[in-house]
Amino acid sequence: MTDSPLVIAQSRLLSPAGLDDRQLDRAFSALLGPGIDFGDLYFQHSRREGWSMEDGIVKDGTHSIEQGVGVRAIAGEKTGFAYSDDLDPEALLAASASARAISRDGRALAPQRADAGRPARARLYPAIDPVEGLDSAAKVEALRRVDRLLREADPRVKQVMVSLSGNVDTVLVVRSDGVMAGDVRPLVRFNVQVIVEQDGRRESGYAGYGGRYGYDALLADGKPERFAREALRQALVNLEAVDAPAGVMPVVLGPGWPGVLLHEAVGHGLEGDFNRKGTSTYAGRIGERVAARGVTIVDDGTLPGRRGSLDVDDEGTPTRCTTLIEDGVLAGYMQDTHNARLMGVAPTGNGRRESFSHLVMPRMTNTYMLAGQDDPEDMIRSVKRGLYAVNFGGGQVDITSGKYVFSATEAYLIEDGRITAPVKGATLIGNGPETMRKVTRIGHDLALDEGVGICGKDGQSVPVGVGQPSLLIDGLTVGGTKA
């Protein structure tokens, strides 16, 4: 019988360091006491590797192992935090005492013995170490095959960059309220970028995919070759791109990865800390209409194998599907335990941290809009002059105002109800809540991204997922180079 993630986490993190129940009780005795409302210990062991190839030559091969413990003491709205990359009883005791010393404004709590019981639920991903699942020669050969394929596919290919990465995070959360939870989190990813040249003009295309599984699934069924061809397709399309128009016009967003705009322009504003502090444009608006009818947005950490999914969050809370906006009405926020306690609501399993050396914050997992009933082709046919945006690059958002700017890496003109020329240099400019109110049609073609999302907040990066169906947005500002 395969060991549970909790058993694996205990054997990987506690046993080698000589930590047992007695040592954990000592740590909580140092952490808790008068003035402290809540405390937790977050143990983590991370193993990571990365391979990259450029022009048929392996440019980089990295491997790292990191471990440590983060200790948190909460008193009212104040948080004391300390961490150590030494996993031994004395280092844990010192970190606990340091965290406790930060603030003393709560009530007294006695130490509690951790309870390993968790609600039964099917696991979302296997408790495996991808790094051990394939030897180095096979990983390099997978990169080499993609490089050869692209160079043979088109003489205009001038440069190929391919990368492969895998990691496993083993975490153990022990809380003062009696919760103990362990998780073993695999994550793999494959990326390919190709640069093409024609008549002195150079353009690039990118594709990538991944998820919480092993290399065997990542490299199966010809997926590396399929995504390589997709990167080449994008690059060749960009060779034909004309200057993007500028002005206010209807915009049709494609399904899947364009949900990154939703993630940035709407998702961050629905995280609990911004709303508790009143800095989000959505603060205090539960029950109000904040989007067009038919717009339903959820954050779902329970999708099997997805990049943003977690069996439990970084506080040991089981993840769930949280409805944020339902039929255009604001329904809720994403919460960790701290913000949930202060706001008088239940945590939603959205407490996340980059590593043991970072504080927990409410963060997104897989955030997407549910499908509607409209035919995407009918959306295109209904537009006299507008933009069809398929892929996006970087963007920026102001949480307080909801204003955003996003660049489209693949977009096309819509003229007289038909998709025509590809365009370059298109940016979408708007306000998240206003954009959601301008959604006039919602496609039946919901798709999630391919598994490459990374979310940044307060200097911390975590893996996430995005998604949406095709959307028709009326009157969106497009920034371009052609008036």
Side-chain angles (χ1 to χ4, degrees):
M1 183 176 179
T2 303
D3 287 337
S4 71
L6 178 58
V7 171
I8 295 173
Q10 289 173 315
S11 64
R12 190 170 291 171
L13 289 159
L14 300 186
S15 300
L19 295 171
D20 53 23
D21 287 347
R22 185 175 62 86
Q23 300 294 347
L24 297 182
D25 284 346
R26 284 184 65 207
F28 276 114
S29 294
L31 181 64
L32 304 175
I36 305 299
D37 298 325
F38 175 84
D40 62 8
L41 314 174
Y42 181 84
F43 298 90
Q44 181 183 21
H45 178 282
S46 297
R47 184 182 183 190
R48 306 176 187 278
E49 73 164 2
W51 297 87
S52 64
M53 177 174 289
E54 186 173 337
D55 297 332
I57 301 171
V58 176
K59 291 290 187 180
D60 197 19
T62 62
H63 185 275
S64 66
I65 293 177
E66 183 183 27
Q67 65 179 16
V69 58
V71 181
R72 182 173 58 157
I74 293 176
E77 294 193 13
K78 298 181 181 179
T79 299
F81 178 70
Y83 70 91
S84 171
D85 53 12
D86 288 327
L87 288 183
D88 64 65
E90 295 310 311
L92 177 59
L93 200 62
S96 299
S98 297
R100 176 180 175 175
I102 300 296
S103 60
R104 303 175 183 275
D105 293 331
R107 56 186 176 82
L109 285 178
Q112 298 183 28
R113 180 63 60 87
D115 178 4
R118 305 300 304 151
R121 185 176 77 182
R123 283 187 49 76
L124 304 175
Y125 38 81
I128 60 172
D129 182 351
V131 178
E132 295 181 343
L134 195 67
D135 64 46
S136 298
K139 295 165 188 173
V140 171
E141 179 55 29
L143 302 179
R144 191 161 282 133
R145 283 199 308 270
V146 167
D147 180 86
R148 288 196 300 263
L149 180 149
L150 288 170
R151 294 184 181 283
E152 294 170 359
D154 196 293
R156 290 170 289 184
V157 171
K158 298 301 178 184
Q159 192 171 6
V160 176
M161 291 152 283
V162 197
S163 64
L164 178 73
S165 63
N167 63 268
V168 59
D169 284 328
T170 304
V171 302
L172 178 68
V173 182
V174 189
R175 298 180 0 187
S176 62
D177 60 0
V179 169
M180 176 182 279
D183 202 6
V184 180
R185 303 166 176 172
L187 191 64
V188 291
R189 179 170 171 171
F190 194 95
N191 299 319
V192 56
Q193 183 177 10
V194 57
I195 297 175
V196 296
E197 182 176 7
Q198 178 176 288
D199 299 328
R201 176 176 174 176
R202 285 198 166 207
E203 297 290 349
S204 66
Y206 163 83
Y209 67 102
R212 295 198 179 279
Y213 39 78
Y215 283 136
D216 53 347
L218 185 79
L219 303 178
D221 303 322
K223 286 195 288 285
E225 291 79 7
R226 176 163 62 87
F227 280 85
R229 294 186 184 97
E230 170 61 17
L232 177 58
R233 183 198 65 80
Q234 290 183 26
L236 296 178
V237 165
N238 288 333
L239 280 177
E240 308 300 325
V242 301
D243 291 338
V248 178
M249 64 188 72
V251 174
V252 177
L253 299 180
W257 180 247
V260 69
L261 188 150
L262 185 79
H263 169 103
E264 293 289 353
V266 179
H268 277 297
L270 297 175
E271 292 167 336
D273 51 351
F274 295 131
N275 290 280
R276 177 176 66 83
K277 297 171 184 176
T279 56
S280 168
T281 185
Y282 294 103
R285 300 180 63 188
I286 296 291
E288 292 185 20
R289 178 162 297 283
V290 295
R293 293 187 185 278
V295 172
T296 296
I297 299 171
V298 302
D299 183 85
D300 190 353
T302 70
L303 302 176
R306 299 297 306 184
R307 181 174 172 84
S309 295
L310 296 170
D311 279 319
V312 294
D313 71 2
D314 292 328
E315 297 179 301
T317 304
T319 53
R320 53 182 263 193
C321 181
T322 301
T323 300
L324 304 172
I325 296 175
E326 186 170 14
D327 196 21
V329 175
L330 184 60
Y333 306 122
M334 291 165 277
Q335 302 285 5
D336 61 352
T337 58
H338 187 203
N339 284 281
R341 183 184 297 109
L342 293 172
M343 295 179 74
V345 297
T348 59
N350 288 94
R352 304 193 64 187
R353 61 203 302 170
E354 181 176 324
S355 77
F356 68 88
S357 62
H358 296 82
L359 270 171
V360 173
M361 294 182 287
R363 305 287 300 271
M364 286 173 273
T365 57
N366 303 297
T367 310
Y368 57 95
M369 184 187 296
L370 300 190
Q373 302 296 323
D374 290 293
D375 185 336
E377 294 183 2
D378 286 344
M379 295 184 198
I380 301 294
R381 284 192 286 266
S382 71
V383 175
K384 178 71 174 176
R385 177 180 178 273
L387 191 75
Y388 177 49
V390 181
N391 275 306
F392 285 90
Q396 295 180 335
V397 62
D398 183 324
I399 301 299
T400 303
S401 66
K403 293 180 180 179
Y404 65 84
V405 178
F406 243 85
S407 60
T409 56
E410 183 181 0
Y412 301 83
L413 294 174
I414 303 176
E415 299 173 294
D416 296 322
R418 294 172 51 249
I419 296 173
T420 57
V423 299
K424 62 179 180 179
T427 59
L428 301 186
I429 305 166
N431 174 283
E434 289 180 7
T435 297
M436 289 299 99
R437 285 192 287 267
K438 292 179 179 179
V439 174
T440 59
R441 302 182 75 173
I442 303 172
H444 54 59
D445 57 343
L446 168 65
L448 301 178
D449 75 291
E450 299 289 355
V452 296
I454 298 175
C455 173
K457 177 180 176 180
D458 288 352
Q460 295 191 43
S461 296
V462 296
V464 295
V466 301
Q468 67 174 45
S470 294
L471 299 177
L472 175 56
I473 303 174
D474 192 31
L476 198 58
T477 300
V478 176
T481 55
K482 182 179 180 182

